Amino acid sequence: MVTNPLLLAEQAFASYALGDLPQALEYARQALIQGIRDVALLNLAGACHFQAGQVAEAEFFWRQALRFKPDYAEAANNLAILLKGQKRYDEAFQAYRQALVADGANAHSWFNLGNLMRESGRLAEAEAAYRQALTLQPGSPDFLLNLGILLQSANRSGEAEASFRQVLEHSPDHIEARLHLGLLLQQARRFPEAEALYRQALALQGDNAAIHTHLGNLLSAVKRYAEAEAALRQALLCSGNPVVSLCDLGNFLRKAQRFDEAEACFSQALSLDPDHPESLLNLGLLRLAEGRFTEGWPLYEARRHPDLRHKTHIDFQAPFARWQGESLSGKSLLMVPEQGFGDQIQLCRYAPLLKRRGVTQLTLACPACLQRLFQSLAGTDRLVIDDGKPLPVHDYWVFSGDLPGLLGSTLEAIPATLPYLRPPGGPSFLPEGRFRVGVVWKGNANHLNDASRSLPGLSTLTPLWSVTGVTFVSLQKGAGEEEIAAFEHPLVAMGERLTDFADTAEVVAQLDLVISVDTAVVHLSGALGKRCWVMLPAWSCDFRWMRGRADSPWYPEVLRLFRQKEPDDWAGVVAEVTAALRKLVAG
């Protein structure tokens, strides 16, 4: 048995080099017991424990090494990596700084510091660290890749693209760079370029599930649905993480209205990982669309999960408690808006129900464009503008999207007394004596499903103009509004008059009917109790319009739903709407 401490130390390093970590650790332990105070040996012991998942022991040995040699850059860098992994960001920052004081020319220490800064949200410092690393080691694919990811997250797309392309110049087979560049191009709607990158990546690594998934999502975005499904199924076959691939396929099938197949995918994913947030959320959306509200609302809460906030745009922090169903008698409550304007108009109906629970101060936060409209809402004591500044302190706060579940809304028990909003009031300013129909043909272009839910253009509505005795009024604001000027059919354009939703409500109140794609004007019309016909896509129809219904329990006897039979078949929908309008006007 080896007893010489110097020889034990040599054996420890040799065993570590051979990958025999338990033996390396045992030799190191024996050498240290016998009085060796070699900082490299302490560093090795830390590395062995860290690779074995024993982080407390690893931290102890690395701190011991630094106690004996504070300028030991390697131990400081290793300690910083451990602390970053535990999200102890301030301590990790100090450890990286210690490493860089010891060796400021170490490009990897600068790179690791950049990763820490990026993860902790200090993006300017992260960029500076990455660029310093690249100064010391120009052309490093890893450094360029992470710099590109940082720039992409900061919406500096041109610089990010240049960084990813530099990676590929140095390393043409770099799969991750191809995927990030492809995603960047896809988001910029440069679909042919993105598809070419994904297919080149598949030629290099055909069994990579992530590449098949990216390709499937792109093909879905350009409405090549059969090819998209094939790519997503191939991703599942290749996947080392079937939970994610099952969820992706299930989400595709849900958007395709193939609910039974989608539910089977989500159920299988959750049998493997019961806490997978995206599967929980998508199963919740599916069940809500089916009217299974009791099952759906609890699952819908998954939209708040940190991993999904970038997709659901839900992020709110407050120095007081989130309401989760406790007694509200004598309490103050802040309703926090979430998602789009239409969601907020739909869900503000819950204010009177909260007031009936004994809330003494009910405050509704909303964007400025909804403030005047919401002044007509019963039950609220105060409106505050949600402009990113701190909101007033209350006993509780609650997301508006949580209220249907917390207040027990079932398909048979939706609070749907209409109207629950009213226009400010004012003189009539639309032409008299004819049937007046408001039209909206496009929604917010930034909406994830806008390519499916919006019409290609105003001309798609041309069959409507054949209905005589009708004055058509454009409620279009923003994207699509410019089409009116070049339009031959007389259309009363109200866009310039609409500065907020209260203005829109004034116009809607003077109409006999609104015909719209799925956008906020639909919810406004419903909340005002105004008859509205909604043209819905076959692909990725919003869960609140439910499955196959021609009416809406959220807006009973007011909304009528006209659904595409096939994706992009707006001609069929407009033909149905035209026939219904002709019949309505004829009496």
Side-chain angles (χ1 to χ4, degrees):
M1 180 178 178
V2 178
T3 57
N4 184 312
L6 293 176
L7 187 55
L8 284 167
E10 289 180 12
Q11 294 282 33
F13 287 112
S15 297
Y16 186 82
L18 293 171
D20 189 348
L21 301 186
Q23 188 63 66
L25 185 57
E26 180 59 26
Y27 282 132
R29 189 180 68 83
Q30 291 293 336
L32 291 166
I33 287 172
Q34 294 189 42
I36 288 285
R37 286 295 176 265
D38 185 313
V39 292
L41 193 63
L42 289 165
N43 184 54
L44 179 143
C48 289
H49 279 297
F50 186 70
Q51 291 178 57
Q54 299 161 346
V55 291
E57 292 85 349
E59 180 178 351
F60 170 80
F61 280 108
W62 283 330
R63 288 197 185 278
Q64 282 290 96
L66 290 167
R67 187 166 69 86
F68 289 115
K69 185 176 172 56
D71 62 348
Y72 188 9
E74 186 176 350
N77 193 61
N78 287 338
L79 177 61
I81 292 170
L82 179 152
L83 294 168
K84 173 179 173 289
Q86 294 187 318
K87 300 189 184 303
R88 294 158 62 184
Y89 293 129
D90 291 340
E91 294 174 83
F93 177 76
Q94 293 304 321
Y96 278 129
R97 282 299 181 194
Q98 189 172 354
L100 287 166
V101 167
D103 182 8
N106 187 318
H108 283 279
S109 290
W110 284 107
F111 174 64
N112 289 335
L113 177 62
N115 291 339
L116 170 67
M117 296 292 97
R118 179 164 64 94
E119 188 172 313
S120 57
R122 295 161 64 174
L123 302 186
E125 294 168 89
E127 181 181 352
Y130 286 147
R131 293 197 183 279
Q132 181 62 31
L134 283 164
T135 298
L136 295 165
Q137 193 172 316
S140 166
D142 289 342
F143 301 175
L144 286 165
L145 176 69
N146 282 26
L147 175 61
I149 294 170
L150 173 72
L151 294 168
Q152 187 175 12
S153 69
N155 296 316
R156 292 159 62 183
S157 301
E159 295 170 85
E161 179 178 349
S163 194
F164 294 140
R165 291 196 184 279
Q166 278 184 274
V167 176
L168 295 175
E169 286 175 14
H170 291 279
S171 302
D173 295 348
H174 202 293
I175 297 297
E176 196 173 354
R178 286 191 182 278
L179 290 181
H180 277 286
L181 179 56
L183 184 59
L184 185 149
L185 296 174
Q186 184 176 334
Q187 290 170 340
R189 306 189 68 80
R190 293 160 62 182
F191 296 121
E193 295 173 78
E195 182 177 354
L197 279 164
Y198 294 150
R199 294 200 182 279
Q200 289 162 7
L202 284 174
L204 294 167
Q205 202 173 93
D207 60 349
N208 187 310
I211 306 171
H212 287 290
T213 298
H214 279 63
L215 178 61
N217 291 336
L218 180 146
L219 293 168
S220 177
V222 297
K223 305 181 181 181
R224 289 156 59 185
Y225 297 122
E227 295 174 79
E229 181 177 351
L232 292 172
R233 290 192 181 280
Q234 189 61 38
L236 181 58
L237 291 175
C238 299
S239 182
N241 186 356
V243 172
V244 173
S245 295
L246 282 164
C247 180
D248 289 336
L249 178 59
N251 199 28
F252 173 89
L253 295 167
R254 180 181 67 83
K255 291 177 179 179
Q257 308 292 294
R258 291 157 61 181
F259 282 32
D260 293 342
E261 296 172 79
E263 183 165 359
C265 285
F266 298 138
S267 297
Q268 189 178 347
L270 290 168
S271 71
L272 298 170
D273 181 0
D275 298 320
H276 186 245
E278 195 155 5
S279 294
L280 289 169
L281 175 59
N282 284 316
L283 181 58
L285 293 173
L286 185 152
R287 288 181 173 165
L288 291 173
E290 291 185 316
R292 296 156 66 180
F293 285 7
T294 303
E295 302 166 75
W297 293 126
L299 295 170
Y300 187 55
E301 293 182 13
R303 74 197 186 287
R304 294 195 308 264
H305 192 279
D307 291 347
L308 299 184
R309 285 177 188 161
H310 67 290
K311 295 183 177 181
T312 57
H313 308 292
I314 296 174
D315 191 12
F316 179 73
Q317 304 293 328
F320 50 99
R322 182 171 67 86
W323 183 59
Q324 300 182 68
E326 301 92 337
S327 170
L328 290 173
S329 180
K331 302 294 184 181
S332 60
L333 177 68
L334 171 68
M335 279 179 61
V336 179
E338 59 172 277
Q339 303 185 63
F341 300 134
D343 303 76
Q344 295 176 54
I345 294 170
Q346 178 193 9
L347 296 169
C348 72
R349 70 179 71 205
Y350 284 94
L353 277 70
L354 292 167
K355 197 66 176 173
R356 285 186 219 128
R357 293 219 172 185
V359 176
T360 55
Q361 172 76 30
L362 179 61
T363 302
L364 175 60
C366 65
C369 63
L370 285 170
Q371 186 184 33
R372 283 204 306 136
L373 175 68
F374 283 174
Q375 286 173 354
S376 67
L377 179 66
T380 56
D381 298 296
R382 183 184 178 191
L383 291 172
V384 294
I385 300 299
D386 180 27
D387 56 3
K389 297 176 183 176
L391 293 170
V393 173
H394 290 65
D395 291 312
Y396 297 106
W397 67 270
V398 65
F399 279 127
S400 56
D402 285 336
L403 292 173
L406 288 168
L407 295 175
S409 291
T410 64
L411 186 58
E412 298 76 27
I414 294 173
T417 301
L418 304 177
Y420 56 87
L421 293 175
R422 289 170 177 78
S428 177
F429 46 80
L430 289 177
E432 299 285 349
R434 288 164 67 90
F435 197 87
R436 295 175 291 192
V437 177
V439 292
V440 181
W441 57 96
K442 284 188 180 294
N444 184 341
N446 294 321
H447 190 282
L448 290 175
N449 194 44
D450 194 63
S452 294
R453 68 166 186 165
S454 288
L455 301 184
L458 176 57
S459 62
T460 310
L461 294 176
T462 296
L464 284 178
W465 321 140
S466 66
V467 180
T468 57
V470 176
T471 295
F472 289 98
V473 178
S474 169
L475 301 173
Q476 193 68 42
K477 184 72 176 173
E481 194 178 352
E482 75 287 346
E483 298 179 59
I484 301 171
F487 194 60
E488 295 181 2
H489 188 86
L491 193 67
V492 180
M494 299 302 301
E496 290 186 2
R497 186 184 182 95
L498 309 179
T499 61
D500 65 4
F501 278 94
D503 286 340
T504 307
E506 277 197 69
V507 179
V508 169
Q510 298 178 45
L511 300 172
D512 297 291
L513 170 68
V514 174
I515 298 174
S516 176
V517 295
D518 179 10
T519 189
V521 171
V522 167
H523 295 281
L524 175 62
S525 301
L528 296 171
K530 178 64 62 176
R531 179 164 45 189
C532 179
W533 293 353
V534 192
M535 299 178 288
L536 295 175
W539 178 261
S540 195
C541 186
D542 193 278
F543 75 90
R544 74 203 68 216
W545 307 127
M546 306 186 66
R547 186 179 185 180
R549 294 183 67 133
D551 67 334
S552 169
W554 293 95
Y555 304 102
E557 301 180 15
V558 170
L559 261 59
R560 179 177 174 183
L561 311 180
F562 293 80
R563 299 174 182 270
Q564 288 181 346
K565 303 297 189 295
E566 299 291 338
D568 288 337
D569 179 24
W570 287 120
V573 171
V574 173
E576 281 189 60
V577 171
T578 302
L581 180 60
R582 184 171 285 112
K583 183 177 179 181
L584 178 64
V585 173

